[in-house]
Amino acid sequence: MKQKQTRKRLGDLIVEAGLITEEQLQMALQDKLPNQKLGDALLQKGLITEQQLIEVLEVQLGVPHISLYGYPFETNLFSLISRDTASRNLVVPLRKDGDKLLVAMADPMDFFAIDDLRLSTGFQIEKVIATRDDIVRTINKFYDVDEDFEEMMEKPKNGDSNQEESLTDESSPIVKLVNQILLSAVTQKASDIHVDPQETKVVVRYRVDGILRVERTLPKNMQSVLTARIKILANLDITEHRVPQDGRIKVNVEYYPIDLRVSTLPTVYGEKVVMRILDLSSSLTDIEKLSFNKVNLARFKQLIEKPNGIVLITGPTGSGKSSTLYAALNKMNNESVNIITVEDPVEYRLEGISQIQVNSNVGMTFAAGLRAILRQDPDIVMVGEIRDRETAETAVRASLTGHLVLSTLHTNDAISSINRLIDMGVEPFLVATALTGVVAQRLVRKVCRDCAEAHEPSNRELEMFAKRGLKIERIMRGKGCASCNMSGYKGRVAIQEVVVVDDEIRRLVMNGESVSKLRQVAVQNKTIFLVDDGLLKVKQGMTTTEEVLRVAIPE
């Protein structure tokens, strides 16, 4: 009975701290899984951050909290607790004092784990709270497999069979290292892993929130086994080093299902490998969660609910175009419509939708796939990307014969997409008739909620907001903390502009008018441009002006 009371108190404390409202608490209590802790349920919903939860737990349990970022660990203590125990119970040893061992735990109420540790180490256990991410990062860093590697490198190579065995044997050091690189990337929420061979070393980098940073540097003599292990996982030819290869990896690393897209590229220092992590659990599927502002969301829904026409989503690589496309398809996906996609490659598998993979080796191009689709009686067609005139013309023809066509294009803003189609060789009158709307999208980093502070806007920022007809009193900026790796940013949010092609824009396109004329009409239609949407999000405290200017240019 006492447990129930504690849980109730935790909820009340979080409400009292002003982190969530009473309604949000009740909703979380209703929605949480039977054995799930309330704190975890609130974290999953994104209502509070782990740091905020820890601060409340500290008050509730009287257990101090600690940041492990830059903590002076005593590495000899790591031999007391095995990696398996540390990962399973989310604990790391901090220091020894007589017969007492101080450990950091993600859940200080886990009495079974504490008993377990007391019996296995023979010490009295004292505890402090640390965030889950902090603990996982520490485990990945200090329970290293370096000693194994030194041993592996010293072993004489007796034939290839030994080498091959070490690449597939789960207990071999190279397999452990690759698992560790993958797990570490997933826990840090990286979107890509780069393995870069250089003249004297191999550098492993992660792209987190759109920014690449070095994770670890490995000796040059490990390059070939590392690449070979990744190629074995991705079913690639390990004997071929001269041509680029593509593959997929589906693995479970420490109970995480990980889906990766792998690409190898021969460089002068050996093969560079890039792995794109596909997070299948993220809330890709809900259009409401894509951070559209109200006006843009209403316009976008209006576009995709039309029975025919082309809707384009534009932006550079890695700006979340696929996520927006998939969310739109998911919204329209029901038994009464036939949705077919042609993609290169098929990233996310969606139930109830026929997805085709482009394969140019056998002549299955976007245009060929699209032509074949049109004989399959579709209602909605999604083309991964319009790259050439043939695909563009087929897409236009499909939309004019009563299909709704969704696709992506690489341009800088929504309006220049119209001209891009004309440049590809599609007749202006066809573009004007077929195109119903264009969405431009970028991703900006979100201010870290744990270390955000309010700042006075600078004169330049005040001017910028005034020029867009907005007022700003304070700007939130992260000062840098352990949970955001001292960057001040954690997570990303999309900014969009939605241009609806109306009769006036159609007339201008048919007459071959300039982009600036089209822009004037878009302004009259009260279009919210990328910069405006970005600045509105700065005003809400989600991001900073530097981030908005990094991805969008105010005209």
Side-chain angles (χ1 to χ4, degrees):
M1 194 60 212
K2 194 173 173 207
Q3 180 97 31
K4 276 269 187 288
Q5 219 177 346
T6 334
R7 279 197 183 163
K8 170 95 175 70
R9 284 222 318 274
L10 173 68
D12 291 346
L13 275 170
I14 294 175
V15 173
E16 277 163 34
L19 299 175
I20 58 170
T21 61
E22 185 62 45
E23 292 84 349
Q24 285 174 319
L25 172 64
Q26 294 310 325
M27 284 280 289
L29 284 167
Q30 274 171 19
D31 295 350
K32 78 182 183 67
L33 303 167
N35 296 330
Q36 195 179 25
K37 297 194 180 90
L38 172 64
D40 291 343
L42 292 170
L43 284 176
Q44 200 178 345
K45 283 183 168 299
L47 294 171
I48 58 171
T49 69
E50 211 170 351
Q51 194 65 33
Q52 291 167 336
L53 175 64
I54 279 184
E55 283 162 17
V56 173
L57 278 173
E58 181 176 34
V59 175
Q60 187 197 18
L61 306 171
V63 177
H65 85 268
I66 189 171
S67 161
L68 301 181
Y69 193 90
Y71 187 88
F73 289 99
E74 295 176 26
T75 42
N76 56 342
L77 293 180
F78 285 91
S79 57
L80 289 173
I81 299 174
S82 71
R83 182 184 174 120
D84 192 40
T85 310
S87 304
R88 196 176 57 242
N89 298 322
L90 290 174
V91 293
V92 285
L94 298 179
R95 63 169 185 268
K96 196 166 64 171
D97 185 7
D99 66 339
K100 294 192 181 104
L101 179 67
L102 180 69
V103 297
M105 304 185 72
D107 178 10
M109 299 294 288
D110 189 344
F111 298 116
F112 292 115
I114 295 166
D115 279 351
D116 201 14
L117 287 176
R118 199 177 67 237
L119 291 169
S120 62
T121 61
F123 286 96
Q124 289 301 318
I125 302 295
E126 298 211 329
K127 56 201 181 181
V128 291
I129 318 178
T131 65
R132 187 191 183 94
D133 285 357
D134 241 0
I135 289 177
V136 171
R137 204 177 297 142
T138 306
I139 292 172
N140 284 335
K141 190 171 171 187
F142 287 98
Y143 283 96
D144 221 340
V145 277
D146 285 349
E147 309 83 45
D148 291 344
F149 280 116
E150 280 160 24
E151 177 198 328
M152 182 176 93
M153 289 305 159
E154 282 160 17
K155 265 189 201 161
K157 297 220 173 28
N158 48 4
D160 287 347
S161 61
N162 185 37
Q163 180 81 9
E164 211 147 290
E165 202 176 298
S166 74
L167 290 174
T168 50
D169 176 16
E170 284 303 314
S171 61
S172 87
I174 188 67
V175 172
K176 285 183 188 166
L177 174 76
V178 172
N179 285 355
Q180 202 179 338
I181 289 173
L182 298 182
L183 183 67
S184 189
V186 172
T187 49
Q188 291 183 41
K189 301 197 167 44
S191 60
D192 301 83
I193 307 170
H194 290 236
V195 179
D196 291 330
Q198 294 178 4
E199 193 170 1
T200 56
K201 56 183 190 274
V202 180
V203 177
V204 177
R205 295 188 293 171
Y206 291 166
R207 188 181 291 282
V208 179
D209 292 340
I211 307 291
L212 267 176
R213 54 184 174 70
V214 174
E215 170 68 13
R216 57 167 66 197
T217 307
L218 300 169
K220 183 74 175 172
N221 56 2
M222 280 168 50
Q223 179 179 319
S224 57
V225 276
L226 180 63
T227 319
R229 172 62 188 159
I230 294 170
K231 283 174 149 186
I232 284 175
L233 283 174
N235 284 330
L236 301 178
D237 180 356
I238 62 170
T239 59
E240 180 56 81
H241 310 287
R242 297 158 306 176
V243 292
Q245 298 185 59
D246 289 302
R248 270 183 106 102
I249 297 180
K250 264 197 161 84
V251 282
N252 275 345
V253 180
E254 308 226 344
Y255 319 113
Y256 279 103
I258 305 176
D259 197 358
L260 303 144
R261 209 171 80 204
V262 183
S263 159
T264 70
L265 183 73
T267 71
V268 286
Y269 294 126
E271 284 176 290
K272 174 178 166 73
V273 182
V274 176
M275 295 177 269
R276 159 69 57 93
I277 300 174
L278 306 173
D279 182 3
L280 305 176
S281 62
S282 65
S283 56
L284 267 178
T285 47
D286 191 352
I287 207 166
E288 309 287 337
K289 290 184 183 157
L290 290 177
S291 70
F292 273 96
N293 70 40
K294 286 197 186 80
V295 180
N296 280 347
L297 182 61
R299 287 181 176 178
F300 184 53
K301 279 184 174 168
Q302 205 181 330
L303 288 176
I304 61 175
E305 279 160 9
K306 290 188 175 171
N308 57 1
I310 298 181
V311 179
L312 289 178
I313 299 183
T314 84
T317 313
S319 55
K321 301 189 294 292
S322 304
S323 302
T324 306
L325 269 181
Y326 281 122
L329 287 179
N330 222 48
K331 181 165 172 49
M332 300 181 289
N333 185 10
N334 60 48
E335 289 168 9
S336 61
V337 289
N338 178 18
I339 303 178
I340 308 183
T341 74
V342 51
E343 306 167 58
D344 179 24
V346 174
E347 285 190 23
Y348 299 96
R349 315 281 158 92
L350 299 174
E351 207 167 317
I353 292 178
S354 313
Q355 293 170 283
I356 301 172
Q357 171 99 24
V358 165
N359 183 351
S360 43
N361 298 339
V362 295
M364 181 60 159
T365 58
F366 276 122
L370 188 49
R371 278 199 300 276
I373 285 176
L374 296 179
R375 295 194 285 275
Q376 292 274 325
D377 177 35
D379 298 291
I380 297 164
V381 176
M382 191 265 265
V383 186
E385 193 185 329
I386 293 180
R387 294 180 188 164
D388 51 42
R389 178 180 176 171
E390 199 184 355
T391 315
E393 284 183 341
T394 319
V396 166
R397 213 167 328 152
S399 74
L400 294 176
T401 50
H403 304 91
L404 176 63
V405 180
L406 300 177
S407 189
T408 67
L409 202 62
H410 287 267
T411 53
N412 289 333
D413 60 6
I415 288 171
S416 51
S417 308
I418 300 173
N419 278 14
R420 180 72 208 281
L421 286 175
I422 296 170
D423 293 343
M424 276 182 183
V426 184
E427 293 292 341
F429 72 91
L430 284 175
V431 173
T433 345
L435 200 61
T436 52
V438 188
V439 179
Q441 180 169 309
R442 297 286 186 285
L443 291 177
V444 291
R445 291 185 292 166
K446 276 194 328 203
V447 173
C448 170
R449 281 159 62 176
D450 292 328
C451 59
E453 296 177 326
H455 287 262
E456 289 279 313
S458 67
N459 289 339
R460 182 161 171 262
E461 285 170 329
L462 287 168
E463 270 172 36
M464 210 165 104
F465 275 85
K467 197 175 161 194
R468 300 308 232 171
L470 297 167
K471 275 198 176 71
I472 180 92
E473 278 147 29
R474 64 194 182 98
I475 286 180
M476 299 304 283
R477 281 199 173 81
K479 66 173 190 289
C481 65
S483 68
C484 63
N485 250 326
M486 292 315 194
S487 64
Y489 295 102
K490 189 167 188 187
R492 288 191 290 178
V493 64
I495 58 173
Q496 293 101 346
E497 68 184 32
V498 180
V499 172
V500 178
V501 178
D502 61 0
D503 294 342
E504 181 60 17
I505 290 182
R506 283 203 174 93
R507 193 178 59 76
L508 294 177
V509 172
M510 284 186 189
N511 296 342
E513 295 287 0
S514 66
V515 171
S516 53
K517 277 270 177 64
L518 293 172
R519 187 174 288 281
Q520 281 170 13
V521 176
V523 171
Q524 286 160 20
N525 292 348
K526 296 193 166 51
T527 301
I528 298 171
F529 291 103
L530 277 173
V531 175
D532 301 321
D533 193 26
L535 295 183
L536 286 168
K537 281 170 181 156
V538 172
K539 205 176 158 137
Q540 291 166 5
M542 283 189 201
T543 184
T544 60
T545 39
E546 294 85 5
E547 274 298 294
V548 175
L549 293 177
R550 186 171 66 84
V551 299
I553 307 154
E555 61 292 328

